[in-house]
Amino acid sequence: MLLPGRPQSTPQALCTGEWQRKRIIAYISGTSIIIFGGVDKLIQTIYLEHRLGAIAFDENTGKIAVCAEGKVYVFRPNGRAEGYLKWSLQTQIALDSSDGAVTTLSWGASEELLVGSNSLTLWSTALANDTADVRLLWRQRLANPTKLALVNSDASLAASVAEHDRLVKIWWKISIGGDDNQADYSYLPHPRAVVWMQWRQPVHPEETADNVLYTITKDQVLRVWAPVHPHDVHLLQLWTAVDLRESIPRYLDEPKDDVHHALIVDSRVFRRATEQAVATAGESDKEREALQRLVEVANRSPEVVVVFDSRGRMSAWGLENVGCKSRKTTDMFSIVHTEKSGMHCGRSEVRFAAFAGGEGLVVLMHSFDGRICWMETRLDTFLDPTQDGARFGLKGIWTGHDNAVQSLVRTADGRSMLSSTETNKHILWTKTTIEGMDTLRRKSILQPPNKVERAVILDGGSSVMTLHTNHVILWDTAHGAFTEMSCCSFTSNGKMLCLLLLPEVVDSPPVYHVVAVDEEMAGIAWEVTLPVKSHSKRNSTTNGNTPFLRELAKFDLGPRNGLLAIIPVDPVGWNAVLSENLDMFSREVATTISKSGLVRSWTVKVYKENSALKWLATSTVETGILNPSLAKGNSIRKVALVDESRTEITIWDSKAAQLEYQQVSSDGTDDLIRDLDWTSTPQSQSILAVGYKRRVVLMCQLRYDYLNAGPAWALFREINIEAMTPHPIGDSLWLQDGGLVIGSGNQLFLYSRKIDGVDKVLDSLHLTSHKTKLDDIFDIVSELNGPLPTYHPQFLQQCILAGKSELVEEILIKLYKELRNYHEEIGLNTFLDLPIDRYIATDKPPVPMRRASSYSPFYDSAQNNDTDLTTFDETLAAKLCELLTTISIPHMTGPEQINLAAIVESVAQVKKHRRSIDEHGAQYLLFFRQYNLHRKTPMDEMSWREITWAFHSDSQEILIDLVNRNFQGRMLWNQARQSGIFMWLRDREAIKQQFEAIARNHYTRTDEKNPVDCSLHYLALKKKNVLVGLWRMARWHPEQAVTMKFLSNNFSEARWKTAALKNAYALMGKHRFEYAAAFFLLADSLKDAIAVIFTSLHDPQLAIVIARVYEGSDGPVLSNFLETKILPYSITEGNRWLASWTFWMLRRKDMAVRALLSPLDSLVPGINGSRNPSSRLFLLNDPALIIFYKHIRERTTTTFKGAQEITPAMEWDFVLTTARVYDRMGCDLLALDLVKNWEFLRAEGKKEVVKMGMRARRNSLMVMDAPPPQVAAITEQNEKDPQKWKEGLVKPPAAVWEEPDMSWAF
């Protein structure tokens, strides 16, 4: 629905006509022209610079003319043949200054336009040689400014009348052709001033009919004027008069000055509406009887005059044979009288326009109180005297503002809304429905003398409180205009930044508390007591209560600290009111934003007994966004923030202090963010409306997706108003039940929850596997959130990480059974008919394996003869994948089904090797397989989660073999980096062997066999001789001779080290960074080599493996690199997996455990990652962290020591945070399993485990990796005296050099 703008209160503010078989309705509002093709079919809005006074439509050409002050603007239609219709400016007419302002317009024949002002002028607007020049055809100075001037249908006559004039002038031409156009006129005298007139329209445009003029005077009498002689058509006489007041019987209590209105339905309109009624008539006897009466009336070809009074009563009269010389007494006859017309005109001045369409007859009622009502009726029902109900049905109301909307404010429940314009005009709206469609009803209007700074709506819209410079006013909105009830002055040290209504439980009489906060963080609270409304009598009160407004208290929120804004929280979700206690769980009411990007949310409690308020900061988020331009929070603790340039939006979870979404738009002016508004579904799933210049995009939260690093928010709808109006969007807000109001110019666009037509943004979400189309935004958001079915790939992946291997296998077998007999009408049970207890039960305890490692039955089930239905293997996996490609599974998109098939294949492949690898190795291998299946583009790298799992695996030998097989034994460095193999390998010899294989593969990957490609690898392995041998065979290389000569030198000497360094720097100047790093290694400068790789090649994995190969995992250069580069990077980015791996590599296993839970900033002094928004990203709170923490906290004595440093409160918060993450992921069953089965370490003793009050013994397989006190003391002394440890040791003999085997190179 649409509120296109308040129509002007002028006689010619509305026009309509049929052009090329298309009905066009246009009216003026303020400075805009609004063009419709139907009740809700807005074609175009045109804005001009000045306030408009009249509009006219030409049915012959489709042109529209409007006037503003002393100018006339003519618009012509374009694009009708191409399928789109728009009007563009053809020309403008500037009148002489002596003519004054234009007041009336009327189209004549041949594109002639009659303009009325202090003069009457006739202009030709026909295009001459494709130019837009206009010609003045005739001008006549008048004694008084024209109020109304109209040209008849054949342009032979024109009628004009001045303001408060009793004499209507009838003009006709007395000279035709040439430049000397002259006209004469006669008078039609009236006893009272004429307020309205209109010409009769012929049945057919080409038909010649008598000129009939209708006039209405101030005394509410309709007069009909018709010609006397057939040859003197310009001579009109009074044909009949209808007293509108007497046409409807009076009530005894009816005031004498009651207003009556007349609708004139020409015979042309009446005939077309009759034809439509006959074509759509029903078969019942009652409908046939009503139709027969209609046909009898229509056969008399009457003009119909319908009279309405202010109470909605109606009387219809027929005028027959109008214009005939000999009148009969039967020429005027009564048709129908009813008490319930459905047309509520009120006491304001009203103008009508009628045409055939819709249900039969369409009537546009233009009320001068600022609205146009679209009414429809069937003529047989309309003229049926036995009809009891209303004759007219309301289809829509066109109203709104006459100036640009600046701001919108709503009640907490979204049932009422206050819109404000730039001219300090305010309208209160209430939500209602028309024909089942949501719309807004204007309730009351306010235009105070002092500018309103802020406003809040009280008591569901019965009252409004406005904030001014030094006072507040309480208004009553029960009537059409605001009425002041109370006023209260105040003093403040700064400008008030916000005015908010505290969401409290309202008693009787209603008592509200309104708070204002200024730029110095000081505020004032007012108490508002409203009278209790009586339901028996309108606008009356009970109990003698009178409205009362008083200042309750003043308060201070603390130091300003660069305060930018304080913003009321959008009320959404179930938590609608403040709780009785002032705590962290109370509903938030306001959000403060500082220049440094600090976002703080506040709640408050009112203490009425001592007239005080207490505030509490419920959350603080350091976003790192400087000088944010926009911010908006909601009551379920989501905060949207826009940066200073208005191009980047971020969405934060203020409760968890984490970043959920970050998006940067282009730098174009149209893409600057202007507005933010929150709402939510009934399940408290957040929806954010982001307003741009001419469009609004709707975003909703998504389930967290940690494994695929998916976004937590997505665009699902775009509303673009550019095709309907050129004016930018002023403001927008959400109404009750998901309706969105957009204020643009003087118009209000109301969009319901239903999405009509095709939405490209919605289609991009791939919600295509559903049988029924999702067209409700609440249904769409609920589908994208909430609990997942247990066969969903994300649920299965998280079960794998949680060690629920048997459950995964059981789910897949059960899914295969269900899909074999699947029918879309029955669907799938989201739990696959498995009991809930099965999902939260722990798997069998681990089974010891070789090397004291632990084994859990990952994808291992008991053998059964019926392998098709009880054992998950590759055969069953293939059958299941085949079903997945042919069946659209409920609650899953196409890409999700492909992902599920990839999981099934991966599980089957991994199971073949399950007996040989441990739990961690199986988890790594499964995700490694999955990432390589169904991928069109190569993955970047395995995440540090999978690398860390493999790093702690005791089956690395088998993993090496399986990873190499995946790359057919030809692994290159890019593939090694993707798999992370050199990060998770622990054995140095295995690292060297794999790195040497990489070197060989790089050398042999091309037919040329370029030694440059493997120089870095062999020099890192300290096999310069092998490299020399390769260069010896590279006779084709232009650098062979120089390189061979240079490599033949002894680089243990200082001069050749210096030469190698110089070559390295020269290569860096040529951007050959990898080759430069090789020369740094040649000069024995490992530190410089890995620095070049890290800073220039941006490859930290390569830098780490070079150091591990060159000096070992315990070398000083690697340790320094990890401490100064990798560790700060992990803390800055908030990557707990990388931080834990780094600490473990540094032999600080206790810190590796603490890095999983503790704030990373607290682990290494001097490194602060909170300033970087990416360090707060939600993806960093991986739920798999808690599984890994549970595994390693008791693995060794050192890790157990690190676990002891974690307080019970921290571990408690860690468990609850992970449970909330599981819930947001849609894995509610895993959240329940976590809180039910988690085992906490005891606070005292710290040697036992507590599980829901029960004790368990410490893991007996804990490795004693911390040295005994005596060994630790000796180690400490050796570090102080490095030479002492060499005493008593025998120096090993020198190794004999052997020629390396080069057969593999040939």
Side-chain angles (χ1 to χ4, degrees):
M1 296 295 288
L2 169 67
L3 301 179
R6 176 190 177 96
Q8 306 288 69
S9 300
T10 58
Q12 284 188 304
L14 171 68
C15 65
T16 182
E18 187 175 349
W19 174 66
Q20 295 186 359
R21 296 186 178 182
K22 182 178 181 64
R23 173 59 56 176
I24 303 296
I25 308 105
Y27 77 94
I28 53 176
S29 172
T31 63
S32 63
I33 308 168
I34 300 100
I35 306 172
F36 277 91
V39 61
D40 57 353
K41 297 179 182 178
L42 178 64
I43 299 176
Q44 187 180 4
T45 303
I46 304 172
Y47 284 90
L48 298 175
E49 295 180 358
H50 303 287
R51 193 174 185 85
L52 305 177
I55 187 171
F57 179 75
D58 185 9
E59 287 189 326
N60 296 320
T61 62
K63 291 183 178 181
I64 296 176
V66 295
C67 61
E69 297 181 352
K71 292 184 178 181
V72 177
Y73 302 87
V74 179
F75 296 85
R76 63 177 179 181
N78 300 293
R80 172 68 170 167
E82 290 78 8
Y84 66 92
L85 182 61
K86 298 294 179 185
W87 275 258
S88 60
L89 181 65
Q90 172 190 320
T91 186
Q92 63 181 26
I93 304 171
L95 271 63
D96 189 86
S97 59
S98 61
D99 290 333
V102 181
T103 56
T104 180
L105 300 169
S106 181
W107 286 99
S110 303
E111 304 182 42
E112 294 177 353
L113 180 63
L114 181 64
V115 179
S117 57
N118 293 340
S119 303
L120 278 180
T121 54
L122 185 65
W123 301 81
S124 174
T125 65
L127 295 177
N129 299 325
D130 293 330
T131 63
D133 296 331
V134 294
R135 293 183 297 117
L136 176 62
L137 302 178
W138 172 72
R139 182 176 186 270
Q140 178 64 51
R141 182 75 179 180
L142 301 176
N144 295 307
T146 309
K147 176 183 180 181
L148 198 59
L150 302 173
V151 180
N152 70 344
S153 59
D154 60 2
S156 61
L157 298 178
S160 68
V161 66
E163 188 75 32
H164 309 297
D165 196 352
R166 297 185 301 109
L167 300 177
V168 175
K169 292 185 178 70
I170 303 297
W171 301 84
W172 65 91
K173 294 180 181 180
I174 59 177
S175 64
I176 301 175
D179 296 333
D180 185 17
N181 292 287
Q182 298 182 13
D184 199 359
Y185 64 91
S186 63
Y187 288 107
L188 298 181
H190 294 73
R192 296 289 186 273
V194 176
V195 296
W196 176 248
M197 60 183 181
Q198 75 179 62
W199 291 99
R200 181 179 68 173
Q201 300 298 317
V203 177
H204 303 287
E206 64 278 1
E207 179 185 13
T208 302
D210 291 339
N211 296 313
V212 177
L213 181 68
Y214 303 95
T215 61
I216 301 177
T217 52
K218 191 75 172 177
D219 56 358
Q220 303 186 49
V221 176
L222 168 68
R223 291 174 173 83
V224 183
W225 305 84
V228 179
H229 304 290
H231 301 292
D232 294 331
V233 294
H234 57 276
L235 297 178
L236 305 180
Q237 70 172 3
L238 182 63
W239 189 83
T240 189
V242 180
D243 191 335
L244 305 182
R245 293 171 297 183
E246 299 298 331
S247 57
I248 298 178
R250 288 189 177 185
Y251 286 132
L252 295 177
D253 60 343
E254 182 179 334
K256 294 182 179 181
D257 59 346
D258 192 18
V259 180
H260 291 69
H261 313 280
L263 163 65
I264 301 171
V265 182
D266 291 323
S267 58
R268 176 177 71 170
V269 176
F270 190 83
R271 176 176 296 182
R272 292 184 180 179
T274 301
E275 293 172 353
Q276 186 166 349
V278 172
T280 59
E283 298 295 332
S284 66
D285 294 339
K286 184 176 181 180
E287 289 177 315
R288 290 185 177 183
E289 183 179 349
L291 186 63
Q292 182 62 34
R293 175 174 173 79
L294 172 61
V295 173
E296 292 176 359
V297 175
N299 288 335
R300 304 175 70 173
S301 300
E303 320 290 332
V304 179
V305 177
V306 186
V307 182
F308 304 95
D309 68 0
S310 60
R311 301 188 180 188
R313 296 185 296 164
M314 180 194 80
S315 179
W317 301 81
L319 306 179
E320 187 180 4
N321 301 323
V322 178
C324 182
K325 296 179 184 178
S326 57
R327 288 188 61 241
K328 299 179 181 179
T329 57
T330 58
D331 287 344
M332 181 173 175
F333 59 94
S334 176
I335 300 177
V336 69
H337 173 79
T338 181
E339 297 293 313
K340 299 177 181 179
S341 67
M343 187 79 71
H344 301 285
C345 302
R347 299 181 60 83
S348 300
E349 194 171 347
V350 172
R351 296 289 178 265
F352 294 100
F355 57 89
E359 297 179 359
L361 178 65
V362 177
V363 177
L364 301 178
M365 184 190 75
H366 172 207
S367 176
F368 281 24
D369 65 358
R371 59 193 170 98
I372 297 175
C373 298
W374 183 296
M375 315 292 294
E376 290 187 11
T377 184
R378 287 179 54 90
L379 275 190
D380 50 351
T381 305
F382 173 62
L383 301 179
D384 184 6
T386 63
Q387 179 73 22
D388 294 331
R391 307 303 172 101
F392 285 91
L394 179 64
K395 301 298 181 181
I397 300 178
W398 296 341
T399 184
H401 286 277
D402 53 4
N403 292 100
V405 175
Q406 192 175 37
S407 64
L408 303 173
V409 179
R410 69 177 173 97
T411 55
D413 58 7
R415 297 178 183 269
S416 299
M417 180 190 80
L418 183 72
S419 57
S420 305
T421 67
E422 299 171 346
T423 58
N424 201 35
K425 188 173 183 179
H426 314 268
I427 300 180
L428 181 66
W429 308 86
T430 58
K431 187 181 177 184
T432 185
T433 58
I434 298 178
E435 293 289 312
M437 299 291 291
D438 292 337
T439 187
L440 297 173
R441 179 180 65 86
R442 187 184 65 196
K443 183 177 181 181
S444 191
I445 302 176
L446 169 67
Q447 193 161 13
N450 299 321
K451 181 175 177 57
V452 175
E453 303 291 343
R454 300 282 189 275
V456 293
I457 308 173
L458 308 176
D459 198 20
S462 66
S463 304
V464 171
M465 181 173 171
T466 57
L467 172 70
H468 304 265
T469 304
N470 55 6
H471 63 281
V472 291
I473 302 178
L474 182 64
W475 305 88
D476 182 16
T477 65
H479 306 283
F482 282 40
T483 305
E484 182 177 336
M485 292 191 293
S486 183
C487 180
C488 183
S489 300
F490 67 86
T491 57
S492 176
N493 296 327
K495 180 182 178 182
M496 290 295 182
L497 297 181
C498 80
L499 182 72
L500 57 94
L501 172 66
L502 299 185
E504 303 170 285
V505 177
V506 180
D507 300 323
S508 182
V511 177
Y512 298 90
H513 295 95
V514 181
V515 173
V517 182
D518 63 21
E519 55 191 359
E520 300 298 331
M521 292 289 282
I524 305 174
W526 292 276
E527 185 178 81
V528 181
T529 305
L530 296 177
V532 180
K533 296 291 183 180
S534 173
H535 297 286
S536 59
K537 294 184 180 181
R538 184 180 179 184
N539 300 331
S540 62
T541 61
T542 59
N543 302 328
N545 295 308
T546 58
F548 183 67
L549 172 64
R550 72 180 182 95
E551 183 177 304
L552 178 68
K554 290 189 176 182
F555 56 86
D556 196 325
L557 293 179
R560 178 176 179 178
N561 293 335
L563 178 69
L564 270 182
I566 178 168
I567 303 166
V569 165
D570 280 347
V572 300
W574 61 270
N575 195 9
V577 297
L578 293 170
S579 63
E580 296 182 358
N581 301 320
L582 185 65
D583 51 33
M584 303 297 288
F585 302 100
S586 185
R587 180 205 188 279
E588 297 170 344
V589 298
T591 302
T592 56
I593 313 296
S594 70
K595 294 180 180 179
S596 63
L598 181 68
V599 178
R600 182 174 283 122
S601 300
W602 299 83
T603 187
V604 65
K605 181 174 176 59
V606 179
Y607 296 88
K608 299 180 182 179
E609 57 277 4
N610 55 1
S611 298
L613 274 77
K614 288 189 177 180
W615 291 80
L616 176 66
T618 56
S619 64
T620 301
V621 182
E622 185 64 62
T623 65
I625 300 174
L626 302 179
N627 301 316
S629 56
L630 286 176
K632 185 64 73 71
N634 65 16
S635 54
I636 51 180
R637 307 205 171 182
K638 303 293 182 186
V639 178
L641 211 61
V642 179
D643 69 342
E644 187 176 10
S645 64
R646 291 180 178 263
T647 57
E648 181 186 45
I649 181 173
T650 54
I651 301 176
W652 300 78
D653 184 340
S654 61
K655 182 178 181 64
Q658 66 185 13
L659 176 65
E660 292 191 341
Y661 181 80
Q662 186 174 19
Q663 179 66 44
V664 179
S665 58
S666 62
D667 295 333
T669 305
D670 292 343
D671 284 330
L672 297 182
I673 302 172
R674 296 167 176 256
D675 188 37
L676 301 170
D677 293 285
W678 287 100
T679 190
S680 72
T681 66
Q683 294 79 27
S684 296
Q685 295 152 349
S686 297
I687 303 175
L688 175 65
V690 183
Y692 295 87
K693 186 175 183 180
R694 290 186 175 87
R695 62 189 177 98
V696 175
V697 295
L698 304 187
M699 304 175 61
C700 69
Q701 67 180 52
L702 302 177
R703 300 183 187 97
Y704 286 163
D705 185 0
Y706 287 90
L707 295 176
N708 298 316
W713 290 79
L715 279 64
F716 70 95
R717 187 182 185 187
E718 178 175 293
I719 301 172
N720 198 319
I721 65 172
E722 187 174 6
M724 294 179 287
T725 174
H727 203 286
I729 295 174
D731 199 4
S732 62
L733 59 72
W734 292 96
L735 292 179
Q736 178 203 29
D737 202 27
L740 179 68
V741 179
I742 299 175
S744 173
N746 58 343
Q747 300 175 333
L748 295 174
F749 297 86
L750 176 57
Y751 293 88
S752 68
R753 285 166 41 187
K754 298 291 183 180
I755 300 178
D756 298 326
V758 178
D759 193 299
K760 295 181 180 179
V761 177
L762 179 60
D763 292 343
S764 66
L765 296 178
H766 305 292
L767 298 176
T768 56
S769 62
H770 304 274
K771 183 178 179 181
T772 58
K773 178 184 177 182
L774 293 176
D775 59 355
D776 187 292
I777 66 172
F778 283 0
D779 293 341
I780 294 170
V781 176
S782 297
E783 184 68 24
L784 296 171
N785 292 274
L788 290 168
T790 55
Y791 50 81
H792 194 278
Q794 175 155 284
F795 185 84
L796 296 177
Q797 290 170 328
Q798 292 301 322
C799 284
I800 292 169
L801 291 175
K804 293 183 171 294
S805 47
E806 289 184 342
L807 176 61
V808 171
E809 187 174 336
E810 190 174 349
I811 290 173
L812 293 179
I813 295 174
K814 187 69 173 177
L815 178 62
Y816 171 69
K817 293 179 180 180
E818 295 292 332
L819 290 182
R820 287 193 310 174
N821 304 312
Y822 174 76
H823 192 279
E824 61 182 9
E825 297 295 335
I826 301 176
L828 282 177
N829 182 276
T830 56
F831 299 108
L832 295 177
D833 295 325
L834 292 174
I836 301 298
D837 293 342
R838 179 66 189 91
Y839 291 99
I840 60 177
T842 57
D843 276 354
K844 297 178 181 178
V847 178
M849 289 186 68
R850 53 190 174 88
R851 294 178 301 178
S853 65
S854 61
Y855 166 72
S856 65
F858 193 81
Y859 302 111
D860 183 27
S861 60
Q863 296 295 322
N864 192 293
N865 294 330
D866 189 6
T867 58
D868 187 40
L869 296 179
T870 60
T871 304
F872 189 81
D873 53 18
E874 288 187 315
T875 303
L876 190 145
K879 294 179 180 180
L880 180 55
C881 289
E882 183 179 354
L883 292 174
L884 291 175
T885 59
T886 58
I887 299 175
S888 295
I889 301 181
H891 307 293
M892 286 181 63
T893 64
E896 288 171 344
Q897 271 192 230
I898 295 174
N899 194 15
L900 177 58
I903 292 176
V904 172
E905 292 182 27
S906 301
V907 169
Q909 292 176 5
V910 170
K911 186 179 180 182
K912 293 189 303 182
H913 311 284
R914 189 57 192 88
R915 286 290 184 181
S916 304
I917 56 178
D918 61 5
E919 185 75 20
H920 305 323
Q923 289 174 340
Y924 169 84
L925 184 59
L926 186 137
F927 287 106
F928 176 74
R929 296 284 195 190
Q930 183 184 344
Y931 285 157
N932 284 279
L933 285 172
H934 303 289
R935 292 279 179 168
K936 295 181 180 180
T937 57
M939 61 180 179
D940 293 330
E941 294 177 12
M942 293 286 286
S943 73
W944 281 97
R945 174 183 54 246
E946 282 74 40
I947 291 175
T948 306
W949 283 114
F951 181 73
H952 290 273
S953 172
D954 293 325
S955 310
Q956 291 189 351
E957 299 89 343
I958 302 174
L959 289 182
I960 293 172
D961 180 61
L962 295 175
V963 171
N964 278 316
R965 287 185 192 178
N966 186 79
F967 299 115
Q968 293 81 42
R970 303 292 298 174
M971 185 190 299
L972 301 176
W973 171 247
N974 287 336
Q975 297 162 334
R977 183 177 61 244
Q978 292 170 8
S979 65
I981 184 171
F982 291 106
M983 300 299 101
W984 50 259
L985 275 176
R986 297 194 302 271
D987 183 67
R988 185 181 181 188
E989 291 302 321
I991 293 173
K992 286 184 176 183
Q993 291 176 9
Q994 289 300 311
F995 201 66
E996 188 169 2
I998 295 287
R1000 289 195 298 266
N1001 294 335
H1002 272 267
Y1003 177 72
T1004 58
R1005 66 176 174 175
T1006 62
D1007 294 336
E1008 296 176 340
K1009 297 182 179 179
N1010 192 347
V1012 176
D1013 296 338
C1014 59
S1015 297
L1016 177 63
H1017 306 80
Y1018 280 115
L1019 292 177
L1021 290 164
K1022 298 182 180 180
K1023 293 188 176 183
K1024 188 189 75 169
N1025 296 318
V1026 176
L1027 184 61
V1028 171
L1030 298 179
W1031 272 108
R1032 186 181 300 120
M1033 294 180 291
R1035 301 181 183 278
W1036 57 271
H1037 203 289
E1039 299 177 358
Q1040 186 212 22
V1042 178
T1043 306
M1044 285 288 297
K1045 181 179 179 181
F1046 186 75
L1047 292 178
S1048 63
N1049 298 303
N1050 184 7
F1051 289 95
S1052 61
E1053 298 179 7
R1055 60 185 293 259
W1056 293 114
K1057 287 184 178 182
T1058 303
L1061 290 174
K1062 290 181 179 180
N1063 278 280
Y1065 288 120
L1067 289 169
M1068 289 183 63
K1070 298 178 180 180
H1071 297 278
R1072 299 176 65 181
F1073 299 114
E1074 183 176 330
Y1075 204 29
F1079 274 82
F1080 277 123
L1081 292 179
L1082 194 60
D1084 196 26
S1085 181
L1086 174 63
K1087 183 176 181 181
D1088 292 330
I1090 64 174
V1092 170
I1093 296 171
F1094 182 74
T1095 58
S1096 299
L1097 294 179
H1098 308 289
D1099 194 342
Q1101 283 200 35
L1102 183 58
I1104 292 172
V1105 70
I1106 292 296
R1108 296 185 73 182
V1109 170
Y1110 193 86
E1111 67 171 4
S1113 300
D1114 299 328
V1117 175
L1118 177 61
S1119 298
N1120 179 72
F1121 179 74
L1122 293 176
E1123 288 182 354
T1124 59
K1125 299 297 182 182
I1126 303 301
L1127 192 57
Y1129 173 80
S1130 65
I1131 294 176
T1132 303
E1133 296 297 321
N1135 192 335
R1136 294 184 179 274
W1137 294 105
L1138 178 57
S1140 178
W1141 178 89
T1142 306
F1143 278 123
W1144 199 283
M1145 287 291 295
L1146 293 171
R1147 307 296 182 185
R1148 302 170 65 182
K1149 298 179 181 179
D1150 56 336
M1151 300 296 289
V1153 176
R1154 294 178 56 191
L1156 300 175
L1157 278 76
S1158 302
L1160 294 179
D1161 298 349
S1162 64
L1163 301 181
V1164 180
I1167 301 177
N1168 184 9
S1170 62
R1171 289 287 182 180
N1172 184 8
S1174 62
S1175 66
R1176 301 296 185 92
L1177 190 62
F1178 76 97
L1179 290 173
L1180 303 175
N1181 292 329
D1182 193 339
L1185 286 168
I1186 201 168
I1187 309 299
F1188 183 65
Y1189 165 74
K1190 186 176 182 180
H1191 164 72
I1192 70 167
R1193 67 180 179 182
E1194 294 183 275
R1195 185 173 183 180
T1196 69
T1197 55
T1198 307
T1199 58
F1200 187 75
K1201 179 181 178 182
Q1204 292 176 348
E1205 299 296 326
I1206 298 173
T1207 64
M1210 291 174 60
E1211 190 170 349
W1212 173 269
D1213 291 339
F1214 189 34
V1215 173
L1216 293 186
T1217 299
T1218 305
R1220 284 193 292 267
V1221 169
Y1222 274 137
D1223 179 70
R1224 178 68 184 272
M1225 295 175 67
C1227 303
D1228 304 64
L1229 294 175
L1230 294 182
L1232 179 61
D1233 172 70
L1234 177 65
V1235 298
K1236 177 179 181 295
N1237 298 317
W1238 181 256
E1239 298 176 345
F1240 289 90
L1241 290 176
R1242 290 179 59 92
E1244 61 279 355
K1246 300 183 181 180
K1247 291 288 185 69
E1248 295 179 343
V1249 176
V1250 178
K1251 175 184 176 181
M1252 302 298 291
M1254 299 187 300
R1255 295 184 178 181
R1257 297 180 62 86
R1258 181 170 58 85
N1259 186 3
S1260 60
L1261 299 178
M1262 182 182 296
V1263 178
M1264 302 294 292
D1265 62 342
Q1270 298 84 355
V1271 177
I1274 296 174
T1275 303
E1276 182 179 357
Q1277 184 165 350
N1278 289 340
E1279 291 178 353
K1280 295 180 181 179
D1281 188 2
Q1283 297 297 327
K1284 188 173 182 179
W1285 71 275
K1286 299 181 180 180
E1287 297 178 0
L1289 297 180
V1290 179
K1291 183 178 180 180
V1296 179
W1297 181 85
E1298 296 180 0
E1299 180 73 26
D1301 183 14
M1302 302 293 297
S1303 60
W1304 57 269
F1306 297 95

